[in-house]
Amino acid sequence: DVKVTQSSRYLVKRTGEKVFLECVQDMDHENMFWYRQDPGLGLRLIYFSYDVKMKEKGDIPEGYSVSREKKERFSLILESASTNQTSMYLCASTGTWGLAGGEQFFGPGTRLTVL
Amino acid sequence: AQTVTQSQPEMSVQEAETVTLSCTYDTSESDYYLFWYKQPPSRQMILVIRQEAYKQQNATENRFSVNFQKAAKSFSLKISDSQLGDAAMYFCALWGGGADGLTFGKGTHLIIQP
């Protein structure tokens, strides 16, 4: 089974702190994604990566950056956390597009609270 | 641009009954995939069912089935014999072949009444 893990289930940070959210997948997937989930808004794509060191902005990249130094790991960085970044963050991965048929595998999520 | 619309923020059904969750979408792609994902209160998002647009036959997975109406751009999920474990957020999603992955609807919160 594909496994996607995220470094923390719950995280509490203070405004202005630098925050790292880590995601690791164990299926050698090329594509990885970071979403933000808020009630009534569904999932919104922050950033995605289709290869090591490659990254693309999603729909809501402002205030975030990402890093993908190794194929299995995709990190989301909040350079200076703000209260409006309090949210649930979901990581996902998928393999070669044509073979995977678009199905994404999700991590358990990180509930981030910024005080 | 692709869009996915779930018009029912919340649905409630009695245990053992059947419920249908609605989803409409828009895409300019001729070949695409549609998905229903389930997110239980524990928050792990899991795939329920997938439909390939070029296949006319509706996908079925045990108690879960879809009604795929390509011309109407409609993709509803039917859950038969609802169980307490079906209580969750359900998200409809579309993949049109782009590297940016899935486009999600805003979700439907399904409540199962015992």
Side-chain angles (χ1 to χ4, degrees), chain B residues 24-84:
Chain B
T24 58
Y25 62 91
D26 193 24
T27 179
S28 58
E29 301 292 337
S30 57
D31 193 16
Y32 50 89
Y33 291 77
L34 292 158
F35 306 83
W36 278 99
Y37 277 88
K38 172 185 178 181
Q39 188 181 42
S42 65
R43 294 293 185 176
Q44 188 89 36
M45 189 91 77
I46 57 173
L47 179 68
V48 175
I49 201 164
R50 172 172 58 192
Q51 175 79 40
E52 296 161 48
Y54 64 87
K55 289 188 176 179
Q56 293 188 354
Q57 186 172 6
N58 289 327
T60 299
E61 289 287 341
N62 300 313
R63 297 183 295 108
F64 298 86
S65 61
V66 299
N67 184 4
F68 174 46
Q69 301 289 328
K70 191 172 184 179
K73 294 185 176 177
S74 171
F75 183 61
S76 60
L77 175 70
K78 186 173 82 171
I79 306 174
S80 304
D81 186 24
S82 298
Q83 300 176 359
L84 294 177

Side-chain angles (χ1 to χ4, degrees), chain A residues 8-50:
Chain A
S8 305
R9 291 299 302 271
Y10 299 92
L11 207 54
V12 179
K13 295 292 181 181
R14 298 214 172 266
T15 301
E17 281 192 80
K18 190 169 186 176
V19 182
F20 293 87
L21 304 182
E22 304 285 340
C23 175
V24 178
Q25 50 90 6
D26 66 357
M27 282 301 292
D28 202 35
H29 282 170
E30 291 85 1
N31 306 284
M32 297 187 74
F33 306 83
W34 275 107
Y35 294 93
R36 172 175 171 160
Q37 183 181 7
D38 299 287
L41 297 179
L43 277 71
R44 293 179 292 168
L45 182 63
I46 305 172
Y47 268 97
F48 64 100
S49 170
Y50 53 87

Side-chain angles (χ1 to χ4, degrees), chain A residues 54-114:
Chain A
M54 306 303 292
K55 58 187 178 183
E56 295 286 343
K57 293 180 180 179
D59 299 318
I60 52 164
E62 296 78 19
Y64 304 94
S65 63
V66 291
S67 172
R68 191 155 180 213
E69 297 297 319
K70 293 185 177 181
K71 191 174 185 179
E72 68 270 19
R73 187 180 299 270
F74 191 35
S75 303
L76 180 68
I77 303 157
L78 287 67
E79 294 288 343
S80 178
S82 63
T83 55
N84 62 14
Q85 293 179 309
T86 292
S87 187
M88 172 68 79
Y89 291 89
L90 296 177
C91 176
S93 73
T94 190
T96 304
W97 284 114
L99 298 176
E103 179 182 354
Q104 293 187 11
F105 298 86
F106 285 83
T110 296
R111 168 70 67 187
L112 173 66
T113 301
V114 182

